[in-house]
Amino acid sequence: MKILMTGASGLIAQHWLSMFGKEYEVTGLTRNVDSAKSHSVEPITWIESLDRYPNFDDFDVVLNLAGESLAAKRWSDTQKQEIRQSRWALTKILVSKIKASQRPPSVFISGSAVGIYGDHRSVVIDELSQPSGESFGQELCAQWESIALQAQEFTRVVLLRTGIVLSTKGGALAQMLPPFKFGMGGVMGNGEHYMPWIHIDDMARAIEFLLTKNLSGPVNVTSPEPMTNREFTQALASTLHRPAFFPMPALALRLLFGEMSQLLTLSQRVVPQRLSQEGFEFQYPSLSSAFQQLLNEAW
């Protein structure tokens, strides 16, 4: 099976490659081939542009994982536009080349995020739940998904509504570990907001699962056990055998991060209804099992 992967040098893509890359012929799109080659876990074909492909007749799968990090910089108007275009513009190109194919790929798996749902407090969210309120994350993901779905007349389209991906090599957990390791962690806001999360192994396994399962449309890629920030904090501190006495009030978060603080305080009790219905089995369904594996391996 031949796979075109965007965002191939990113955290999720590299982990998927480490687990499954040897089973496929993968072409990875990246901004810097030399850097990607030096850091990649698997030898794949690297490209810096899609210009050589008038269509995607040569590929069986298009896996779209590209996008400027949401947490890389404060959300200025310029940064918001960079975040939008890094997702929307590339997805438009992918869709246009799928449409131009005489033998289009059998599946187009395109990134999204649980941010599309907005704040639902303690209400359980599945794939049928409607957005609540208005936020940058909702706007970003709604348009991103809308663009990807333009390919659904030509191929099966899967939208990965991803939560917080837990890894010690990058992402939110890697940033949280240093203060928690030194006993300086604590709850964010009042700690009662729900955090949808998933172990990076299960993230990679879910992508692999979706390559062949006849699912289309939005799929929540999160653990079946969403936790409140307080529960998350206590579990992390307990696994590290450290106290967690340094809370970060919501006002302080807004002062530090501006609008980006919503990533840390929105409450989203998301469950992976469609994955569960299709029989996907999580290796790390509970936060305690996820932390035990990740932190024992790292420390």
Side-chain angles (χ1 to χ4, degrees), residues 152-168:
Q152 64 185 339
E153 294 181 23
F154 305 88
T155 187
R156 179 168 64 93
V157 178
V158 182
L159 305 169
L160 299 174
R161 291 183 175 173
T162 307
I164 299 168
V165 180
L166 299 185
S167 170
T168 57

Side-chain angles (χ1 to χ4, degrees), residues 124-127 220 222 270-278:
V124 175
I125 302 170
D126 63 20
E127 288 87 351
N220 292 338
T222 62
V270 179
V271 295
Q273 186 74 15
R274 300 192 70 198
L275 279 177
S276 297
Q277 288 175 341
E278 287 296 317

